[in-house]
Amino acid sequence: EAAAGATPKAKKRRALGPLQDSGVRSLVETLCDPAAMAREAEEWGFDSNRLPLSELSKDHLRDGLSWLTAIERELRRQPEPRAQDVERLSASFFSAVPVVRPATGDGKPPAVRSLDEVAARCAALEMFADVEATRPRLLKLAAGGGHRKIAASTAGGAEGAEGG
């Protein structure tokens, strides 16, 4: 009953709930850390020496998925895949997508040689797509840009409404 008569400002504060807690806010900031995203992408095989993560585009990812689809199709070829085609398609994949190329030790270019590796590379590209979509927004927020309507609305009254 007391909540029914609460001001809009008080209702918004209650709606924020646990985000007002500094521990929870710290956890959210850690999870949304652009530097942590970059480290995670590198752990998944992103090669930031070939292309900075900030320059990764949907086109890179789309091309990579197209090459992986072609590799998968070749690996499923009956009676057996042609090694030369798998190597050629793999070279195109590694050229299109900035991923670390595994060392082969025999002087041959690396190749995606199994369906399990295709699946793993697809999972990595999906993770890179998440980073590509999210990282610029987080950097903008970290720099003070972007939408801060929640913060503005809890800061107080008309000043917050005019500033957002």
mmCIF file of all heavy atoms in Angstrom, residues 121-158:
data_model
loop_
_atom_site.group_PDB
_atom_site.id
_atom_site.type_symbol
_atom_site.label_atom_id
_atom_site.label_comp_id
_atom_site.label_asym_id
_atom_site.label_seq_id
_atom_site.Cartn_x
_atom_site.Cartn_y
_atom_site.Cartn_z
ATOM 1 N N ARG A 121 35.512 -24.175 -34.424
ATOM 2 C CA ARG A 121 35.748 -22.886 -35.101
ATOM 3 C C ARG A 121 34.449 -22.091 -35.221
ATOM 4 O O ARG A 121 34.451 -20.870 -35.075
ATOM 5 C CB ARG A 121 36.357 -23.113 -36.490
ATOM 6 C CG ARG A 121 37.726 -23.745 -36.476
ATOM 7 C CD ARG A 121 38.775 -22.766 -36.070
ATOM 8 N NE ARG A 121 40.090 -23.392 -36.084
ATOM 9 C CZ ARG A 121 41.185 -22.764 -35.717
ATOM 10 N NH1 ARG A 121 41.131 -21.503 -35.340
ATOM 11 N NH2 ARG A 121 42.326 -23.387 -35.719
ATOM 12 N N CYS A 122 33.324 -22.770 -35.474
ATOM 13 C CA CYS A 122 32.027 -22.079 -35.525
ATOM 14 C C CYS A 122 31.687 -21.472 -34.161
ATOM 15 O O CYS A 122 31.207 -20.329 -34.088
ATOM 16 C CB CYS A 122 30.921 -23.039 -35.960
ATOM 17 S SG CYS A 122 30.911 -23.371 -37.723
ATOM 18 N N ALA A 123 31.942 -22.222 -33.089
ATOM 19 C CA ALA A 123 31.677 -21.707 -31.739
ATOM 20 C C ALA A 123 32.542 -20.479 -31.467
ATOM 21 O O ALA A 123 32.071 -19.490 -30.877
ATOM 22 C CB ALA A 123 31.935 -22.792 -30.698
ATOM 23 N N ALA A 124 33.792 -20.511 -31.899
ATOM 24 C CA ALA A 124 34.672 -19.348 -31.712
ATOM 25 C C ALA A 124 34.139 -18.144 -32.485
ATOM 26 O O ALA A 124 34.107 -17.028 -31.959
ATOM 27 C CB ALA A 124 36.096 -19.686 -32.152
ATOM 28 N N LEU A 125 33.690 -18.359 -33.721
ATOM 29 C CA LEU A 125 33.146 -17.249 -34.505
ATOM 30 C C LEU A 125 31.881 -16.681 -33.867
ATOM 31 O O LEU A 125 31.658 -15.468 -33.903
ATOM 32 C CB LEU A 125 32.876 -17.674 -35.943
ATOM 33 C CG LEU A 125 34.103 -17.958 -36.812
ATOM 34 C CD1 LEU A 125 33.680 -18.288 -38.235
ATOM 35 C CD2 LEU A 125 35.076 -16.797 -36.808
ATOM 36 N N GLU A 126 31.059 -17.543 -33.271
ATOM 37 C CA GLU A 126 29.869 -17.056 -32.562
ATOM 38 C C GLU A 126 30.275 -16.179 -31.381
ATOM 39 O O GLU A 126 29.669 -15.140 -31.133
ATOM 40 C CB GLU A 126 29.019 -18.226 -32.094
ATOM 41 C CG GLU A 126 28.289 -18.917 -33.218
ATOM 42 C CD GLU A 126 27.548 -20.173 -32.767
ATOM 43 O OE1 GLU A 126 27.373 -20.369 -31.546
ATOM 44 O OE2 GLU A 126 27.134 -20.951 -33.634
ATOM 45 N N MET A 127 31.322 -16.596 -30.662
ATOM 46 C CA MET A 127 31.804 -15.781 -29.546
ATOM 47 C C MET A 127 32.351 -14.454 -30.061
ATOM 48 O O MET A 127 32.087 -13.394 -29.506
ATOM 49 C CB MET A 127 32.873 -16.550 -28.763
ATOM 50 C CG MET A 127 33.175 -15.961 -27.386
ATOM 51 S SD MET A 127 34.190 -14.494 -27.354
ATOM 52 C CE MET A 127 35.785 -15.212 -27.574
ATOM 53 N N PHE A 128 33.102 -14.493 -31.170
ATOM 54 C CA PHE A 128 33.621 -13.254 -31.750
ATOM 55 C C PHE A 128 32.468 -12.341 -32.175
ATOM 56 O O PHE A 128 32.564 -11.123 -32.047
ATOM 57 C CB PHE A 128 34.513 -13.537 -32.969
ATOM 58 C CG PHE A 128 35.737 -14.362 -32.693
ATOM 59 C CD1 PHE A 128 36.368 -15.033 -33.717
ATOM 60 C CD2 PHE A 128 36.279 -14.483 -31.418
ATOM 61 C CE1 PHE A 128 37.503 -15.794 -33.497
ATOM 62 C CE2 PHE A 128 37.405 -15.240 -31.173
ATOM 63 C CZ PHE A 128 38.026 -15.906 -32.215
ATOM 64 N N ALA A 129 31.387 -12.921 -32.675
ATOM 65 C CA ALA A 129 30.220 -12.121 -33.077
ATOM 66 C C ALA A 129 29.607 -11.427 -31.865
ATOM 67 O O ALA A 129 29.208 -10.258 -31.952
ATOM 68 C CB ALA A 129 29.179 -13.000 -33.768
ATOM 69 N N ASP A 130 29.544 -12.126 -30.738
ATOM 70 C CA ASP A 130 29.040 -11.504 -29.509
ATOM 71 C C ASP A 130 29.923 -10.339 -29.103
ATOM 72 O O ASP A 130 29.438 -9.271 -28.726
ATOM 73 C CB ASP A 130 28.962 -12.523 -28.372
ATOM 74 C CG ASP A 130 27.890 -13.572 -28.594
ATOM 75 O OD1 ASP A 130 26.989 -13.337 -29.426
ATOM 76 O OD2 ASP A 130 27.961 -14.626 -27.932
ATOM 77 N N VAL A 131 31.230 -10.535 -29.183
ATOM 78 C CA VAL A 131 32.173 -9.468 -28.823
ATOM 79 C C VAL A 131 32.037 -8.310 -29.808
ATOM 80 O O VAL A 131 31.979 -7.145 -29.406
ATOM 81 C CB VAL A 131 33.624 -10.000 -28.796
ATOM 82 C CG1 VAL A 131 34.625 -8.873 -28.672
ATOM 83 C CG2 VAL A 131 33.800 -10.986 -27.641
ATOM 84 N N GLU A 132 31.950 -8.623 -31.096
ATOM 85 C CA GLU A 132 31.837 -7.581 -32.122
ATOM 86 C C GLU A 132 30.599 -6.728 -31.899
ATOM 87 O O GLU A 132 30.617 -5.521 -32.081
ATOM 88 C CB GLU A 132 31.801 -8.244 -33.515
ATOM 89 C CG GLU A 132 31.838 -7.276 -34.686
ATOM 90 C CD GLU A 132 30.481 -6.735 -35.085
ATOM 91 O OE1 GLU A 132 29.462 -7.395 -34.833
ATOM 92 O OE2 GLU A 132 30.439 -5.622 -35.634
ATOM 93 N N ALA A 133 29.509 -7.353 -31.450
ATOM 94 C CA ALA A 133 28.262 -6.622 -31.235
ATOM 95 C C ALA A 133 28.269 -5.827 -29.936
ATOM 96 O O ALA A 133 27.680 -4.748 -29.859
ATOM 97 C CB ALA A 133 27.090 -7.604 -31.230
ATOM 98 N N THR A 134 28.927 -6.323 -28.920
ATOM 99 C CA THR A 134 28.846 -5.742 -27.585
ATOM 100 C C THR A 134 29.974 -4.772 -27.257
ATOM 101 O O THR A 134 29.750 -3.745 -26.633
ATOM 102 C CB THR A 134 28.852 -6.876 -26.532
ATOM 103 O OG1 THR A 134 27.840 -7.810 -26.870
ATOM 104 C CG2 THR A 134 28.607 -6.345 -25.145
ATOM 105 N N ARG A 135 31.182 -5.083 -27.664
ATOM 106 C CA ARG A 135 32.354 -4.313 -27.237
ATOM 107 C C ARG A 135 32.269 -2.816 -27.571
ATOM 108 O O ARG A 135 32.565 -1.989 -26.708
ATOM 109 C CB ARG A 135 33.615 -4.934 -27.845
ATOM 110 C CG ARG A 135 34.889 -4.372 -27.277
ATOM 111 C CD ARG A 135 36.087 -5.218 -27.728
ATOM 112 N NE ARG A 135 37.292 -4.746 -27.091
ATOM 113 C CZ ARG A 135 38.069 -3.806 -27.623
ATOM 114 N NH1 ARG A 135 37.768 -3.266 -28.771
ATOM 115 N NH2 ARG A 135 39.151 -3.417 -26.977
ATOM 116 N N PRO A 136 31.862 -2.418 -28.779
ATOM 117 C CA PRO A 136 31.798 -0.972 -29.053
ATOM 118 C C PRO A 136 30.851 -0.230 -28.114
ATOM 119 O O PRO A 136 31.137 0.892 -27.690
ATOM 120 C CB PRO A 136 31.297 -0.899 -30.501
ATOM 121 C CG PRO A 136 31.625 -2.218 -31.095
ATOM 122 C CD PRO A 136 31.549 -3.203 -29.974
ATOM 123 N N ARG A 137 29.742 -0.857 -27.771
ATOM 124 C CA ARG A 137 28.788 -0.215 -26.857
ATOM 125 C C ARG A 137 29.396 -0.055 -25.469
ATOM 126 O O ARG A 137 29.208 0.965 -24.819
ATOM 127 C CB ARG A 137 27.507 -1.038 -26.778
ATOM 128 C CG ARG A 137 26.746 -1.055 -28.080
ATOM 129 C CD ARG A 137 25.526 -1.930 -27.980
ATOM 130 N NE ARG A 137 24.947 -2.102 -29.301
ATOM 131 C CZ ARG A 137 24.325 -3.180 -29.690
ATOM 132 N NH1 ARG A 137 24.166 -4.186 -28.872
ATOM 133 N NH2 ARG A 137 23.839 -3.259 -30.895
ATOM 134 N N LEU A 138 30.100 -1.087 -25.020
ATOM 135 C CA LEU A 138 30.721 -1.004 -23.695
ATOM 136 C C LEU A 138 31.796 0.073 -23.669
ATOM 137 O O LEU A 138 31.918 0.814 -22.692
ATOM 138 C CB LEU A 138 31.322 -2.353 -23.303
ATOM 139 C CG LEU A 138 30.314 -3.471 -23.048
ATOM 140 C CD1 LEU A 138 31.037 -4.780 -22.772
ATOM 141 C CD2 LEU A 138 29.398 -3.116 -21.900
ATOM 142 N N LEU A 139 32.590 0.159 -24.729
ATOM 143 C CA LEU A 139 33.619 1.198 -24.791
ATOM 144 C C LEU A 139 32.993 2.587 -24.780
ATOM 145 O O LEU A 139 33.504 3.500 -24.133
ATOM 146 C CB LEU A 139 34.496 1.010 -26.032
ATOM 147 C CG LEU A 139 35.396 -0.218 -26.011
ATOM 148 C CD1 LEU A 139 36.075 -0.400 -27.369
ATOM 149 C CD2 LEU A 139 36.421 -0.127 -24.904
ATOM 150 N N LYS A 140 31.871 2.732 -25.481
ATOM 151 C CA LYS A 140 31.175 4.022 -25.510
ATOM 152 C C LYS A 140 30.671 4.380 -24.111
ATOM 153 O O LYS A 140 30.819 5.511 -23.658
ATOM 154 C CB LYS A 140 30.018 3.964 -26.504
ATOM 155 C CG LYS A 140 29.301 5.276 -26.687
ATOM 156 C CD LYS A 140 28.221 5.146 -27.756
ATOM 157 C CE LYS A 140 27.482 6.447 -27.937
ATOM 158 N NZ LYS A 140 26.410 6.318 -28.931
ATOM 159 N N LEU A 141 30.093 3.400 -23.423
ATOM 160 C CA LEU A 141 29.623 3.649 -22.060
ATOM 161 C C LEU A 141 30.774 3.966 -21.118
ATOM 162 O O LEU A 141 30.678 4.864 -20.285
ATOM 163 C CB LEU A 141 28.830 2.450 -21.537
ATOM 164 C CG LEU A 141 27.439 2.271 -22.139
ATOM 165 C CD1 LEU A 141 26.854 0.945 -21.696
ATOM 166 C CD2 LEU A 141 26.533 3.413 -21.746
ATOM 167 N N ALA A 142 31.874 3.228 -21.256
ATOM 168 C CA ALA A 142 33.031 3.453 -20.395
ATOM 169 C C ALA A 142 33.614 4.846 -20.608
ATOM 170 O O ALA A 142 34.143 5.457 -19.678
ATOM 171 C CB ALA A 142 34.100 2.387 -20.648
ATOM 172 N N ALA A 143 33.491 5.365 -21.842
ATOM 173 C CA ALA A 143 34.014 6.693 -22.147
ATOM 174 C C ALA A 143 33.057 7.805 -21.728
ATOM 175 O O ALA A 143 33.343 8.974 -21.897
ATOM 176 C CB ALA A 143 34.308 6.805 -23.634
ATOM 177 N N GLY A 144 31.888 7.416 -21.191
ATOM 178 C CA GLY A 144 30.945 8.419 -20.721
ATOM 179 C C GLY A 144 29.838 8.718 -21.703
ATOM 180 O O GLY A 144 29.007 9.574 -21.459
ATOM 181 N N GLY A 145 29.812 8.028 -22.816
ATOM 182 C CA GLY A 145 28.756 8.237 -23.804
ATOM 183 C C GLY A 145 27.650 7.233 -23.606
ATOM 184 O O GLY A 145 27.620 6.477 -22.652
ATOM 185 N N GLY A 146 26.750 7.215 -24.534
ATOM 186 C CA GLY A 146 25.684 6.215 -24.488
ATOM 187 C C GLY A 146 24.544 6.613 -23.596
ATOM 188 O O GLY A 146 24.422 7.751 -23.156
ATOM 189 N N HIS A 147 23.694 5.642 -23.315
ATOM 190 C CA HIS A 147 22.486 5.886 -22.541
ATOM 191 C C HIS A 147 22.768 5.720 -21.059
ATOM 192 O O HIS A 147 23.209 4.683 -20.625
ATOM 193 C CB HIS A 147 21.379 4.921 -22.973
ATOM 194 C CG HIS A 147 21.055 5.067 -24.416
ATOM 195 N ND1 HIS A 147 20.354 6.133 -24.911
ATOM 196 C CD2 HIS A 147 21.368 4.309 -25.485
ATOM 197 C CE1 HIS A 147 20.233 6.024 -26.221
ATOM 198 N NE2 HIS A 147 20.844 4.919 -26.595
ATOM 199 N N ARG A 148 22.490 6.749 -20.321
ATOM 200 C CA ARG A 148 22.658 6.713 -18.876
ATOM 201 C C ARG A 148 21.362 7.169 -18.225
ATOM 202 O O ARG A 148 21.374 7.877 -17.233
ATOM 203 C CB ARG A 148 23.809 7.607 -18.452
ATOM 204 C CG ARG A 148 25.124 7.127 -19.014
ATOM 205 C CD ARG A 148 26.157 7.273 -17.973
ATOM 206 N NE ARG A 148 27.422 6.833 -18.494
ATOM 207 C CZ ARG A 148 28.178 5.980 -17.875
ATOM 208 N NH1 ARG A 148 27.818 5.478 -16.738
ATOM 209 N NH2 ARG A 148 29.330 5.616 -18.380
ATOM 210 N N LYS A 149 20.238 6.793 -18.803
ATOM 211 C CA LYS A 149 18.946 7.266 -18.327
ATOM 212 C C LYS A 149 18.667 6.811 -16.908
ATOM 213 O O LYS A 149 18.110 7.554 -16.128
ATOM 214 C CB LYS A 149 17.837 6.800 -19.266
ATOM 215 C CG LYS A 149 17.894 7.479 -20.607
ATOM 216 C CD LYS A 149 16.786 7.036 -21.492
ATOM 217 C CE LYS A 149 16.898 7.753 -22.831
ATOM 218 N NZ LYS A 149 15.885 7.320 -23.756
ATOM 219 N N ILE A 150 19.083 5.597 -16.564
ATOM 220 C CA ILE A 150 18.840 5.112 -15.200
ATOM 221 C C ILE A 150 19.593 5.986 -14.213
ATOM 222 O O ILE A 150 19.042 6.459 -13.250
ATOM 223 C CB ILE A 150 19.242 3.636 -15.047
ATOM 224 C CG1 ILE A 150 18.310 2.767 -15.874
ATOM 225 C CG2 ILE A 150 19.222 3.208 -13.594
ATOM 226 C CD1 ILE A 150 18.692 1.308 -15.919
ATOM 227 N N ALA A 151 20.882 6.244 -14.504
ATOM 228 C CA ALA A 151 21.680 7.068 -13.602
ATOM 229 C C ALA A 151 21.108 8.481 -13.538
ATOM 230 O O ALA A 151 21.020 9.076 -12.471
ATOM 231 C CB ALA A 151 23.134 7.107 -14.061
ATOM 232 N N ALA A 152 20.714 9.021 -14.679
ATOM 233 C CA ALA A 152 20.175 10.378 -14.708
ATOM 234 C C ALA A 152 18.857 10.455 -13.953
ATOM 235 O O ALA A 152 18.605 11.413 -13.227
ATOM 236 C CB ALA A 152 19.983 10.845 -16.154
ATOM 237 N N SER A 153 18.026 9.434 -14.093
ATOM 238 C CA SER A 153 16.726 9.494 -13.450
ATOM 239 C C SER A 153 16.842 9.327 -11.940
ATOM 240 O O SER A 153 16.012 9.830 -11.213
ATOM 241 C CB SER A 153 15.794 8.424 -14.028
ATOM 242 O OG SER A 153 16.262 7.141 -13.700
ATOM 243 N N THR A 154 17.868 8.635 -11.476
ATOM 244 C CA THR A 154 18.023 8.487 -10.033
ATOM 245 C C THR A 154 18.802 9.650 -9.439
ATOM 246 O O THR A 154 18.793 9.848 -8.245
ATOM 247 C CB THR A 154 18.719 7.170 -9.667
ATOM 248 O OG1 THR A 154 20.001 7.140 -10.295
ATOM 249 C CG2 THR A 154 17.889 5.984 -10.103
ATOM 250 N N ALA A 155 19.478 10.437 -10.302
ATOM 251 C CA ALA A 155 20.252 11.579 -9.803
ATOM 252 C C ALA A 155 19.333 12.679 -9.318
ATOM 253 O O ALA A 155 19.715 13.469 -8.459
ATOM 254 C CB ALA A 155 21.175 12.113 -10.898
ATOM 255 N N GLY A 156 18.167 12.749 -9.895
ATOM 256 C CA GLY A 156 17.234 13.724 -9.350
ATOM 257 C C GLY A 156 16.542 14.583 -10.366
ATOM 258 O O GLY A 156 17.161 15.172 -11.217
ATOM 259 N N GLY A 157 15.262 14.559 -10.265
ATOM 260 C CA GLY A 157 14.322 15.493 -10.859
ATOM 261 C C GLY A 157 14.563 15.975 -12.251
ATOM 262 O O GLY A 157 14.979 15.260 -13.124
ATOM 263 N N ALA A 158 14.298 17.274 -12.432
ATOM 264 C CA ALA A 158 14.285 17.888 -13.757
ATOM 265 C C ALA A 158 15.669 17.928 -14.385
ATOM 266 O O ALA A 158 15.808 17.804 -15.579
ATOM 267 C CB ALA A 158 13.713 19.289 -13.672
#
